[in-house]
């Protein structure tokens, strides 16, 4: 990971309490106002941050993989859906399929995704800061400040 991206993560780690307080303020905003603030900062964040120089999400957390995702991955890999599950996944405590190793088995050495066009929906949406109804996932977004430099950036900008 680029050193400056790691610095964002370090900042989020050291500002956990401050970010938790910010979260409480954000929870008081009207839903549309909150979406607009975060969605605009998402665009700014990804003008600065290049996922190919990071890959921290793919290296450290697993997406939840749904049946539709498994079908698509199987088609891409030209193997049966059951083989995708057996080879790459396990059922977690919440009965969701997740990747069976970390970094993700599909993350390549150059940080590209081996199954990019058929990657799970959860990967496509990560870090989920360009969606509506951000108020429904604020707690998750706070956790993501520790994983995704773009989310750290968004939190720091929200304080201004
Ligand atoms: S499937 Fe691709 S995008 Fe999703 S975690 Fe694995 S490497 Fe990353
Ligand atoms: S989404 Fe965030 S954590 Fe994942 S590669 Fe991009 S900047 Fe890094």
């Amino acid at each position: 990971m680029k050193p400056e991206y790691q610095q964002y993560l370090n900042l989020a780690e050291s500002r956990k309490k401050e970010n938790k307080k910010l979260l409480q303020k954000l929870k008081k905003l009207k839903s549309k106002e909150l979406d607009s603030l975060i969605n605009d900062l998402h665009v700014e964040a990804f003008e600065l941050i290049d996922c190919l120089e990071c890959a921290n999400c793919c290296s450290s957390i697993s997406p939840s993989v749904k049946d539709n995702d498994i079908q698509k991955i199987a088609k891409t890999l030209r193997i049966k859906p059951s083989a995708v599950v057996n080879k790459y996944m396990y059922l977690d405590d919440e009965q969701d399929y997740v990747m069976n190793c970390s970094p993700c088995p599909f993350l390549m050495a150059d940080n590209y995704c081996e199954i990019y066009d058929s990657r799970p929906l959860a990967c496509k949406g990560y870090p989920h800061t360009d969606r509506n109804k951000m108020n429904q996932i604020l707690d998750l977004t706070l956790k993501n400040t520790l994983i995704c430099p773009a989310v750290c950036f968004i939190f720091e900008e929200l304080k201004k």
Side-chain angles (χ1 to χ4, degrees):
M1 187 196 298
K2 246 186 162 180
E4 49 261 54
Y5 298 173
Q6 184 58 54
Q7 279 170 12
Y8 272 121
L9 298 182
N10 296 346
L11 192 68
E13 184 65 42
S14 67
R15 294 188 175 168
K16 268 186 188 170
K17 274 190 191 167
E18 195 179 307
N19 287 345
K20 218 172 168 183
K21 275 188 195 163
L22 172 66
L23 196 79
Q24 296 315 315
K25 284 189 191 165
L26 296 177
K27 283 182 177 174
K28 289 178 188 157
L29 294 180
K30 286 188 180 151
S31 175
K32 281 193 176 161
E33 190 186 351
L34 179 68
D35 289 347
S36 159
L37 271 174
I38 295 183
N39 297 166
D40 286 353
L41 287 171
H42 169 99
V43 174
E44 255 188 69
F46 284 101
E47 277 167 4
L48 294 170
I49 294 169
D50 178 1
C51 287
L52 288 174
E53 299 203 63
C54 174
N56 198 42
C57 49
C58 308
S59 303
S60 57
I61 53 171
S62 172
S64 158
V65 188
K66 306 296 181 197
D67 287 345
N68 273 351
D69 299 321
I70 293 169
Q71 300 291 337
K72 282 188 201 158
I73 295 169
K75 212 171 164 189
T76 297
L77 298 179
R78 298 181 182 194
I79 58 177
K80 287 184 179 171
S82 58
V84 172
V85 169
N86 290 340
K87 197 167 175 192
Y88 301 108
M89 289 161 203
Y90 74 94
L91 268 180
D92 70 6
D93 295 342
E94 284 155 19
Q95 299 300 299
D96 283 324
Y97 281 113
V98 291
M99 301 301 179
N100 61 9
C101 65
S102 181
C104 174
F106 301 113
L107 180 65
M108 299 192 291
D110 55 5
N111 285 344
Y112 277 84
C113 171
E114 192 187 342
I115 54 161
Y116 188 76
D117 289 335
S118 38
R119 68 200 187 287
L121 205 61
C123 301
K124 287 182 188 157
Y126 193 84
H128 313 295
T129 41
D130 58 349
R131 49 161 268 173
N132 291 331
K133 298 187 179 165
M134 284 301 308
N135 55 3
Q136 293 177 350
I137 58 159
L138 275 179
D139 291 323
L140 174 70
T141 306
L142 176 66
K143 284 184 190 161
N144 282 333
T145 58
L146 303 173
I147 294 161
C148 175
V151 182
C152 303
F153 171 88
I154 290 170
F155 264 63
E156 288 307 309
E157 291 299 306
L158 283 168
K159 290 172 197 165
K160 289 181 183 170

